[in-house]
Amino acid sequence: MSDGVCTACGRSIDAAAKLCPYCGADPATGERVDTQAIVQEIFHPRELTASETVLEYARQRQGVVIGVTIAVVFVLLAALHQFVTVRNANEVSDAPAMPLTEIADLAKMEYESAPAQLPPLDFQYEGQPQAMRTYIVERGAIAPQPAPAPAPPAQQPQTQRR
């Protein structure tokens, strides 16, 4: 980097620079150049409609938009609940009242006289049907020994007391 000095701000810059990177002025004359006009002339700005500006605002501030949306939905649900509650308290139905016991009384329900039959289940029991009726024991297992009967209590000789 060769030594050059900006005449507008006095900072050290590259001698080949056309603009000062710090102040944006021409380093030789110190005259400030309007870069916005050049940028807009080369890159034409896009005209945004009202809906596009709203969407752009929402993209930039997603957290705020989500928070406001949740709050609005909550308020709408609360208002709907309040409306339904007030309406149900004041409205009278033309239908006759029906006790809940007629709807949900299990004592009055009629059951089928015969229980439903289970379908036949085919189990593999190696041709020995008694194996399915008793406990199946592993081969080589030893049955536990029965507990010994408790010994009768020993009788102590009675001594005479005087």
Side-chain angles (χ1 to χ4, degrees):
M1 187 166 128
S2 59
D3 290 334
V5 177
C6 176
T7 55
C9 65
R11 293 190 180 179
S12 173
I13 60 170
D14 188 13
K18 302 288 183 192
L19 292 175
C20 175
Y22 300 104
C23 65
D26 184 4
T29 61
E31 184 178 324
R32 297 216 185 252
V33 179
D34 184 18
T35 55
Q36 286 294 341
I38 297 171
V39 169
Q40 287 182 358
E41 183 178 320
I42 295 173
F43 303 104
H44 300 289
R46 198 175 102 196
E47 296 296 324
L48 296 176
T49 62
S51 63
E52 288 175 334
T53 56
V54 170
L55 290 175
E56 186 62 32
Y57 179 81
R59 277 190 207 104
Q60 292 174 357
R61 294 167 182 84
Q62 288 179 358
V64 173
V65 171
I66 291 171
V68 168
T69 303
I70 289 173
V72 167
V73 167
F74 179 76
V75 168
L76 287 175
L77 286 175
L80 179 65
H81 178 267
Q82 185 67 25
F83 170 74
V84 169
T85 303
V86 170
R87 182 178 177 271
N88 287 343
N90 295 336
E91 286 291 320
V92 178
S93 175
D94 293 336
M98 179 178 289
L100 285 176
T101 55
E102 286 187 25
I103 299 170
D105 191 6
L106 297 177
K108 292 183 180 179
M109 289 182 68
E110 296 179 16
Y111 295 101
E112 295 179 11
S113 61
Q117 297 293 326
L118 289 176
L121 301 175
D122 295 327
F123 290 108
Q124 295 179 359
Y125 48 86
E126 299 174 355
Q128 300 174 359
Q130 61 272 27
M132 294 301 289
R133 294 188 192 107
T134 60
Y135 293 110
I136 299 175
V137 180
E138 295 178 5
R139 294 183 186 180
I142 300 172
Q145 298 295 326
Q155 293 182 0
Q156 295 179 352
Q158 293 181 352
T159 58
Q160 291 182 344
R161 289 191 179 182
R162 294 185 196 186

